Amino acid sequence: MIGDSPGDPPAPEYLAEHLRSAFATDRRVHEQGLEVTIIGKTIVVRGTVSTPALRDAVDEVARDVVPGVDVVNDVDVPPNVEPDGAEELDR
């Protein structure tokens, strides 16, 4: 488990907060609403970002912050739906 021996990263709750902070401040991601869960030696990230590139960046940042652990990237990218037609405005 993460944080069990002297060479390990910090305890899971501290590591999760450190990752949330990294996602919020790293220029590649800049997302505050991501959920981070630590399960054994696996980091699970959930949430929603606006582009596939941001989703990939979440994975990169997690691996940079905690090298050598498994990362499960459950971050969603909502579909970009085009409007059906012109928007009607009431006057």
Side-chain angles (χ1 to χ4, degrees), residues 2 9-24 34-39 42-45 65-66:
I2 295 172
E13 57 273 10
Y14 296 111
L15 182 58
E17 185 56 38
H18 184 63
L19 282 164
R20 280 190 288 274
S21 177
F23 294 141
L34 297 174
E35 176 187 330
V36 178
T37 306
I38 311 294
I39 303 169
T42 302
I43 296 168
V44 180
V45 185
V65 171
V66 190

Side-chain angles (χ1 to χ4, degrees), residues 5 10 14 22 29 31-32 43 45 54 64-65 85 91:
S5 66
Y14 296 111
V29 179
E31 290 289 334
Q32 294 182 348
I43 296 168
V45 185
L54 279 174
D64 287 351
V65 171
R91 293 183 184 205

